[in-house]
Amino acid sequence: MRMIGNNTYTAPSLGVLKTSALPIKDQHGRTFNYLRIALNEQCNLRCMYCMPEEGIDFRSEDKILSTEEIFNLIELTSQMGVSKIRFTGGEPLLRKDLTELVHFAYQCNGIESVHLTTNGLLLSKQIDALEKSGLSGINISLDTLKPEKFKKITRRNGLDLVLNSLQTAIDSSIQSIKLNVVAMRDFNDDEIMDFVELTKENDITVRFIELMPFDSHQIWKTGKFYGADHIVADIKTQVDELNPIDGSRTEHHIFRVNDYKGKVAVIPAYSRSLCGECNRLRITSDGKLLNCLYSQNEINLRDAMRNGKTDIEIEDMIRTTIKKKYIDGWKAQNQGNDNRESMTQIGG
Ligand code: SAM
Ligand code: SF4
């Protein structure tokens, strides 16, 4: 039994965790210390590149990982060298146990930072609780600063709420605040500099992300793709100085513009030029471990836990799946990955 906040949780099957404590490695020598967990598939927006208007065939509640199962996976993987956790989704703020999950990860031995990716709609109301739970970083997704375009892309209203959440996050003591902007031609390419300007007075990172082919309507085939190199070239033509600086492993190009307080990064999510640096494990909301965003190679950790597998057996499943990881996302995609209806089934 564990006490988290005012609640008591019972671990399902694993008892005292025992793992070999060796780092998780793949056949190419990469080490994996960053776990991204999707907490749900449900979302309060319907971004056109992510989820169809009518939603997807959402899995029922009993198929989704429970609080205790997520605790176990965090504890187990932390013993295998995972030091960074990100909660994503679906929309993670729709999960009632989010602060408990953050707090559990925060106090887990070996975990150095706990992050959240959210659309920001519900963030401002929960930020105090998240701050107290030990959250280290928030990525807020926002593709436009214009209300009518916001409605077009998300099929909902709410830009004011997201901007308010961004400000609340900036004003909080949470260390790392990033804005995720999916860059799309003829949609928000005219707003690139408006986003860059947000870094002038705010110590945030604005990250332009390439569109990826994970939606059932395949909007990415409609000419909206805007490649990382083009984004960088376009920014260069519009600023006086673009100074390269250090960023995270997936931030291909990271800059400070002029003498601005924040940073600008460009993420080659589709070009996949940073696969060699990959350190990520992904667990879907129904408990499947994926060894690559583009892969269909997955193993069901939820069923393993529910069927009473031991820590050592689950550890072995994790190591075996990661070991088989392909050298890059292109090779992984070639094994077939076309049955995803939405990024929420992968955990963005
Ligand atoms: N709902 C949360 C949010 O929007 O931040 C978390 C889940 S969402 C799937 C995670 C990230 O994936 C968001 O930044 C979103 O913009 C991005 N995303 C979703 N579909 C995408 C696509 N087809 N191409 C590129 N990024 C995508
Ligand atoms: Fe929801 Fe995030 Fe997908 Fe938009 S990108 S529909 S906010 S899960």
Side-chain angles (χ1 to χ4, degrees):
M1 292 238 281
R2 300 187 177 101
M3 283 293 291
I4 299 290
N6 295 324
N7 302 313
T8 310
Y9 295 98
T10 309
S13 66
L14 302 181
V16 178
L17 295 166
K18 279 199 209 82
T19 66
S20 66
L22 291 169
I24 307 168
K25 287 199 172 269
D26 73 359
Q27 57 185 327
H28 308 288
R30 291 173 289 200
T31 302
F32 296 81
N33 61 0
Y34 175 13
L35 172 61
R36 299 169 70 99
I37 308 177
L39 297 182
N40 51 15
E41 293 176 339
Q42 305 278 352
C43 189
N44 43 5
L45 294 181
R46 290 286 181 272
C47 300
M48 61 186 195
Y49 50 69
C50 180
M51 205 189 285
E53 168 81 79
E54 65 280 10
I56 55 170
D57 191 9
F58 295 110
R59 286 177 175 81
S60 56
E61 185 96 351
D62 61 312
K63 301 266 191 319
I64 303 299
L65 289 174
S66 68
T67 312
E68 293 82 354
E69 287 165 345
I70 297 171
F71 285 173
N72 273 336
L73 290 171
I74 292 172
E75 200 161 27
L76 187 91
T77 53
S78 71
Q79 293 182 6
M80 297 165 72
V82 165
S83 58
K84 175 175 176 180
I85 301 281
R86 177 173 301 280
F87 294 115
T88 177
E91 176 46 43
L93 284 162
L94 292 175
R95 250 189 95 137
K96 298 215 166 22
D97 55 0
L98 179 63
T99 49
E100 281 85 359
L101 291 167
V102 169
H103 190 63
F104 181 85
Y106 169 74
Q107 54 82 58
C108 199
N109 274 343
I111 300 297
E112 291 164 11
S113 65
V114 186
H115 302 254
L116 178 70
T117 300
T118 170
N119 62 32
L121 273 189
L122 302 173
L123 180 64
S124 64
K125 287 191 188 136
Q126 297 189 41
I127 199 126
D128 286 347
L130 288 166
E131 201 173 354
K132 287 190 191 115
S133 304
L135 193 67
S136 336
I138 308 181
N139 287 10
I140 298 176
S141 305
L142 179 64
D143 304 326
T144 177
L145 299 169
K146 299 181 177 164
E148 68 283 6
K149 270 204 216 171
F150 184 89
K151 187 161 186 186
K152 195 170 166 203
I153 190 151
T154 66
R155 304 188 180 103
R156 300 284 188 274
N157 290 311
L159 177 62
D160 289 352
L161 288 173
V162 181
L163 290 176
N164 183 37
S165 289
L166 174 63
Q167 192 57 54
T168 317
I170 290 170
D171 294 341
S172 76
S173 63
I174 294 170
Q175 294 150 21
S176 161
I177 307 297
K178 299 185 180 184
L179 205 56
N180 282 355
V181 183
V182 177
M184 287 169 283
R185 279 210 186 279
D186 300 328
F187 181 78
N188 58 4
D189 52 355
D190 59 331
E191 292 188 67
I192 297 287
M193 286 313 295
D194 297 338
F195 279 107
V196 168
E197 281 305 299
L198 292 176
T199 67
K200 185 172 185 179
E201 298 299 339
N202 299 300
D203 184 11
I204 61 174
T205 304
V206 168
R207 297 154 26 113
F208 297 107
I209 301 174
E210 285 179 345
L211 189 60
M212 291 180 281
F214 297 131
D215 69 299
S216 56
H217 292 181
Q218 293 284 282
I219 80 119
W220 89 291
K221 285 185 183 161
T222 58
K224 298 244 176 315
F225 181 74
Y226 185 16
D229 292 343
H230 286 109
I231 302 169
V232 175
D234 286 353
I235 298 173
K236 278 188 179 157
T237 62
Q238 298 179 70
V239 301
D240 299 333
E241 277 179 58
L242 201 55
N243 305 309
I245 48 175
D246 287 340
S248 83
R249 297 166 81 128
T250 54
E251 290 165 348
H252 182 33
H253 311 273
I254 174 145
F255 307 102
R256 195 177 297 283
V257 170
N258 303 330
D259 57 353
Y260 291 5
K261 291 185 181 152
K263 301 173 199 163
V264 173
V266 182
I267 318 286
Y270 179 74
S271 310
R272 285 163 261 187
S273 47
L274 290 182
C275 293
E277 299 289 308
C278 187
N279 63 346
R280 297 165 171 210
L281 314 173
R282 293 172 188 275
I283 296 181
T284 63
S285 59
D286 60 336
K288 291 181 188 123
L289 175 73
L290 291 181
N291 65 17
C292 174
L293 190 57
Y294 287 88
S295 171
Q296 292 283 302
N297 258 338
E298 51 191 34
I299 188 113
N300 196 320
L301 301 178
R302 178 202 64 199
D303 287 352
M305 287 188 284
R306 291 185 187 178
N307 293 332
K309 297 265 189 216
T310 64
D311 298 2
I312 300 291
E313 287 169 319
I314 295 176
E315 175 190 354
D316 190 51
M317 289 168 75
I318 296 173
R319 290 193 189 285
T320 307
T321 304
I322 300 304
K323 190 118 212 147
K324 288 193 289 203
K325 183 177 164 80
Y326 290 101
I327 187 77
D328 60 31
W330 296 104
K331 285 256 161 44
Q333 185 177 356
N334 287 342
Q335 314 307 312
N337 79 337
D338 42 15
N339 64 1
R340 308 278 191 209
E341 284 182 288
S342 165
M343 189 86 172
T344 63
Q345 295 171 324
I346 312 170

